[in-house]
């Protein structure tokens, strides 16, 4: 039999491994619940719930075409070995995965096992990430070529192997309860599954996306105005190619239309298409250099923050009690929903890295656990970029006060997620600690008892961070290292988004 191993590709459409296996003969579609991955610190019950919803929909879709989804539990490759003993596996099919250290090691074990058993394992790409890439030159053109290719046709009929012959049960879709985890606390999380992904895509291109370019940055407008596709892309409920095709279809529909409405759409489409490319650009970095999940990309940054990790500051940040309303609102929104927009993610990390001087690894694990769209390649590359440890990117230090004034001037978002501040006047929201004591009492929000005083002084902390970082970026070795990093990982679109080494930090954003 031919085994299709589902990983982060929980969909029926544009599924190259499924189509290839079906063309070859009898197919067993398998999803393996791996206890090692359930236990890893990045896993939150919300991830398990999302996968369970995705598997439920996929099982129905497979059954409608004569197939079946078998859910097995255990370590790999042991689970495959047992299957192989039940009935010989002729070929194994899956998508390529740019995962974290655990899945990378797991894939190496599976590859060894398959080789030893003489079972060909065909891994097919599903994004623009290129395996064993030799140079970044020409990468964007390869990305575009892959995305232009037509979607893989969905098999009309899936020649499923009768499970009874294998003595197998389809297996229960494992939810949080079945895996011994608490119920997901994310009551506002997106629902998993191919149908939900397609609805999200359709609503974006029907109307939500028109003001995308302007709505992106604010957590108020971003909730509806961002594409909200990341979670579906991360779990493979929809393919990157199908999203790129949908954007191209929309662009064609606007041809010749000179209305302001069409102009807004064109701006939005350009912004979206750039981001879809970034998705794979960032994943490519982890594919090419897996150690960036654990180590500073620029070794010049080694030792800068490691000895100074202050647990109490980390805890305040992680639960949204720093005394900075925009930081706390974003963190609490994330804990409840599994999502915040890009700018607010960057601000959260900037605050951890510069204001609190925390090494990025533990904050990164915390965010990975709470991002429902956790995608290791994007995540760890962005953690390092926003923490100033890539050696090549301009340091971007966000002011939580400015971010609130720019992106939530009426305090809609902050009041929702930090109810302690709900009755504070609008003009006091950005810096509540400056509110006169009488007014604090009148608003039911006494700083230091109802809501924390700032855990650090932003201006002083940023100034100190600049002083601490500068020498490490200016040495000859650091510059040479940065040049090598640009060569290996830099986008070739412009000299650097970048590639400026040892650059001076930007003014606080
Ligand atoms: C510290 C940090 C960690 C992040 N971790 C993740 C992660 O684990 N998974 C993830 O998908 N995104 C991550 N991002 C990128 C970005 O914030 C999210 O992709 C985006 O907020 C998801 O919402 P959306 O789908 O509405 O995106 P949109 O803003 O509508 O963008 C469309 C798509 O483009 C891609 N994209 C957008 N921005 C970026 C970016 N800066 N880099 C790479 N791809 C991008 C995503 O696939 C996204 O779905 C991270 C950003 C930061 C600063």
């Amino acid at each position: 039999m031919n085994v299709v191993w589902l990983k982060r590709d929980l969909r029926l459409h544009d599924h190259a491994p499924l189509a290839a296996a079906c063309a070859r003969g009898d197919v067993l579609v398998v999803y393996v619940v791996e206890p090692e991955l359930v236990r890893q610190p990045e896993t939150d019950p919300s991830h398990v719930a999302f996968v369970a919803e995705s598997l439920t929909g996929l099982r129905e879709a497979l059954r409608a075409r004569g197939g079946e989804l078998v859910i097995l539990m255990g370590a790999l490759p042991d689970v495959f070995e047992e299957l192989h003993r039940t009935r010989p596996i002729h070929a194994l099919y899956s998508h390529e995965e740019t995962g974290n250290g655990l899945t990378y090691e797991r894939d190496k074990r599976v590859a060894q096992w398959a080789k030893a058993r003489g079972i060909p394992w065909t891994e097919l790409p599903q994004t623009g990430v290129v395996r064993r890439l030799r140079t970044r030159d020409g990468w964007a053109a390869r990305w575009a070529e892959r995305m232009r290719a037509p979607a893989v046709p969905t098999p009309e009929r899936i020649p499923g192997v009768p499970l009874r012959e294998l003595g197998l049960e389809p297996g229960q879709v494992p939810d949080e309860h079945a895996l011994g985890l608490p119920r997901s606390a994310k009551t506002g999380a997106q629902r998993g599954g191919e149908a939900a992904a397609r609805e999200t895509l359709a609503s974006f291109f029907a109307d939500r996306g028109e003001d995308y370019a302007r709505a992106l940055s604010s957590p108020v407008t971003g909730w509806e105005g961002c594409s909200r596709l990341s979670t579906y892309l991360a779990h493979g409920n929809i393919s990157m190619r199908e999203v790129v095709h949908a954007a191209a279809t929309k662009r064609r529909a606007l041809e010749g239309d000179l209305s302001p409405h069409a102009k807004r759409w064109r701006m939005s489409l350009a912004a979206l298409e750039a981001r879809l490319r970034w998705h794979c650009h960032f994943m490519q970095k982890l594919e090419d250099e897996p150690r960036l999940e654990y180590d500073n990309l620029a070794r010049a940054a080694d030792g800068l923050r490691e000895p100074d990790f202050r647990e109490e500051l980390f805890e305040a940040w992680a639960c949204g009690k720093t005394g900075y309303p925009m930081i706390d609102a974003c963190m609490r929104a994330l804990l409840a929903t599994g999502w915040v927009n890009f700018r607010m993610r960057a601000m959260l990390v900037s605050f951890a890295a510069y204001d609190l001087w925390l090494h990025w690894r533990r904050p990164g694990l915390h965010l990975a656990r709470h991002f429902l769209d956790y995608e290791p390649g994007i995540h760890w590359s962005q953690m390092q970029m926003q923490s100033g440890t890539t050696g090549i990117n301009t340091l971007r230090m966000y002011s939580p006060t400015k971010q609130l004034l720019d992106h939530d001037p009426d305090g809609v978002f902050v009041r929702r997620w930090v109810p302690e501040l709900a009755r504070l006047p609008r003009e006091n929201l950005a810096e509540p600690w400056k509110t006169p004591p009488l007014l604090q009492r009148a608003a039911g929000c006494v700083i230091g008892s109802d809501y924390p005083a700032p855990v650090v002084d932003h201006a002083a902390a940023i100034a100190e961070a600049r002083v601490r970082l500068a020498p490490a970026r200016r040495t000859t070795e650091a510059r040479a290292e940065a040049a090598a990093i640009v060569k290996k990982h830099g986008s070739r679109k412009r000299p650097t988004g970048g590639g400026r080494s040892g650059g001076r930090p930007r003014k606080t954003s």
Side-chain angles (χ1 to χ4, degrees):
M1 63 189 174
N2 303 293
V3 168
V4 178
W5 175 20
L6 296 176
K7 300 163 107 187
R8 290 154 66 87
D9 50 358
L10 305 179
R11 64 174 181 276
L12 185 66
H13 295 94
D14 197 18
H15 201 295
L18 179 66
C22 287
R24 209 182 144 129
D26 283 357
V27 172
L28 191 70
V29 183
V30 174
Y31 181 84
V32 184
V33 181
E34 297 164 83
E36 185 183 35
L37 297 187
V38 174
R39 282 194 308 265
Q40 70 176 349
E42 291 94 318
T43 302
D44 183 67
S46 59
H47 297 149
V48 172
F50 190 94
V51 168
E53 286 155 8
S54 304
L55 291 174
T56 302
L58 184 53
R59 174 171 272 172
E60 279 168 25
L62 287 166
R63 282 180 179 166
R65 286 165 196 255
E68 180 57 274
L69 167 64
V70 178
I71 298 170
L72 301 167
M73 184 160 340
L76 283 169
D78 307 1
V79 171
F80 287 158
E81 173 65 15
E82 218 167 294
L83 263 185
H84 184 59
R85 274 203 223 121
T86 316
R87 186 194 265 196
I89 298 176
H90 291 313
L92 179 63
Y93 291 90
S94 76
H95 274 118
E96 289 173 354
E97 179 176 4
T98 304
N100 64 6
L102 278 186
T103 61
Y104 184 37
E105 290 305 321
R106 183 265 330 263
D107 281 356
K108 286 200 263 186
R109 289 195 304 272
V110 170
Q112 254 176 12
W113 167 84
K115 195 170 170 206
R117 296 281 175 276
I119 299 168
W121 177 17
T122 307
E123 290 182 276
L124 298 164
Q126 65 168 338
T127 65
V129 174
V130 180
R131 276 272 157 99
R132 290 175 277 279
L133 182 72
R134 286 224 291 274
T135 167
R136 271 293 186 131
D137 295 343
W139 184 88
R142 286 172 86 169
W143 183 89
E145 195 184 310
R146 269 198 198 168
M147 295 305 141
R148 261 197 310 271
V152 175
T154 309
E156 289 294 327
R157 231 193 64 72
I158 292 161
V161 181
L163 294 193
R164 251 178 288 125
E165 282 181 19
L166 303 177
L168 274 181
E169 292 292 326
Q172 253 204 333
V173 171
D175 60 7
E176 307 100 290
H177 181 68
L179 298 183
L181 298 173
R183 280 256 169 253
S184 166
K186 295 192 178 13
T187 44
Q190 287 178 288
R191 285 190 68 74
E194 194 163 1
R198 286 179 183 279
E199 269 167 39
T200 306
L201 184 81
S203 67
F204 183 78
F205 288 112
D207 49 36
R208 283 195 302 113
E210 182 168 335
D211 272 327
Y212 177 68
R214 275 189 295 193
L216 270 175
S217 299
S218 160
V220 182
T221 51
W223 182 261
E224 278 280 313
C226 282
S227 74
R228 307 302 309 275
L229 289 168
S230 55
T231 312
Y232 300 114
L233 287 167
H235 293 84
N237 286 167
I238 195 160
S239 73
M240 172 59 82
R241 181 163 40 203
E242 285 204 82
V243 178
V244 175
H245 286 186
T249 304
K250 182 75 188 179
R251 192 179 277 289
R252 277 196 298 279
L254 297 168
E255 264 168 30
D257 187 342
L258 300 176
S259 67
H261 147 86
K263 196 173 159 203
R264 277 199 300 277
W265 262 114
R266 273 189 211 97
M267 276 172 54
S268 293
L269 290 174
L272 178 72
E273 285 161 344
R275 282 164 179 75
L276 296 176
R277 212 170 31 248
W278 296 351
H279 179 108
C280 305
H281 165 75
F282 281 101
M283 285 175 72
Q284 185 74 53
K285 294 180 193 231
L286 185 67
E287 175 73 28
D288 294 344
E289 198 150 359
R291 72 167 186 90
L292 73 74
E293 182 188 349
Y294 306 104
D295 308 327
N296 292 322
L297 188 59
R299 304 317 302 233
D302 283 359
L304 273 177
R305 293 189 175 96
E306 287 82 342
D308 288 331
F309 199 90
R310 286 180 57 191
E311 202 62 44
E312 75 285 7
L313 294 182
F314 172 70
E315 287 302 327
W317 174 83
C319 65
K321 291 195 173 161
T322 64
Y324 283 93
M326 199 59 158
I327 299 288
D328 296 340
C330 286
M331 186 60 84
R332 295 186 200 182
L334 173 64
L335 299 181
T337 69
W339 186 85
V340 274
N341 60 324
F342 170 78
R343 180 172 278 264
M344 296 302 118
R345 294 185 193 203
M347 178 194 70
L348 284 175
V349 177
S350 160
F351 193 80
Y354 301 118
D355 293 64
L356 307 183
W357 202 245
L358 299 173
H359 187 277
W360 49 267
R361 175 72 188 159
R362 281 191 52 206
L365 283 175
H366 175 77
L367 293 178
R369 184 159 58 248
H370 293 290
F371 287 160
L372 197 50
D373 61 20
Y374 171 50
E375 178 63 67
I378 303 177
H379 187 66
W380 294 111
S381 305
Q382 282 287 349
M383 282 306 301
Q384 295 227 30
M385 185 164 157
Q386 307 302 338
S387 304
T389 55
T390 63
I392 60 172
N393 300 107
T394 309
L395 302 182
R396 210 178 260 269
M397 298 172 175
Y398 290 83
S399 153
T401 300
K402 183 172 183 307
Q403 290 304 313
L404 189 150
L405 296 173
D406 287 354
H407 299 295
D408 186 25
D410 297 325
V412 178
F413 178 76
V414 158
R415 284 184 218 275
R416 171 163 182 215
W417 292 107
V418 190
E420 304 94 292
L421 303 172
R423 285 165 51 212
L424 217 57
R426 182 176 181 268
E427 52 279 13
N428 298 98
L429 268 183
E431 297 180 324
W433 60 93
K434 292 187 181 165
T435 311
L438 257 178
L439 198 52
Q440 289 183 25
R441 272 199 293 280
C445 180
V446 174
I447 301 302
S449 55
D450 297 310
Y451 182 68
V455 288
V456 290
D457 177 282
H458 171 70
I462 288 296
E464 196 182 335
R466 285 204 172 104
V467 171
R468 290 165 116 170
L469 280 164
R473 289 168 69 90
R474 296 225 180 99
T475 63
T476 317
E477 295 79 32
R479 284 170 193 272
E481 183 183 36
I485 294 172
V486 170
K487 187 154 189 278
K488 180 159 182 164
H489 295 289
S491 136
R492 302 296 196 257
K493 288 234 123 190
R494 48 197 162 97
T496 150
R500 201 144 53 96
S501 59
R504 261 190 291 146
R506 278 198 179 193
K507 250 180 76 205
T508 307
S509 316

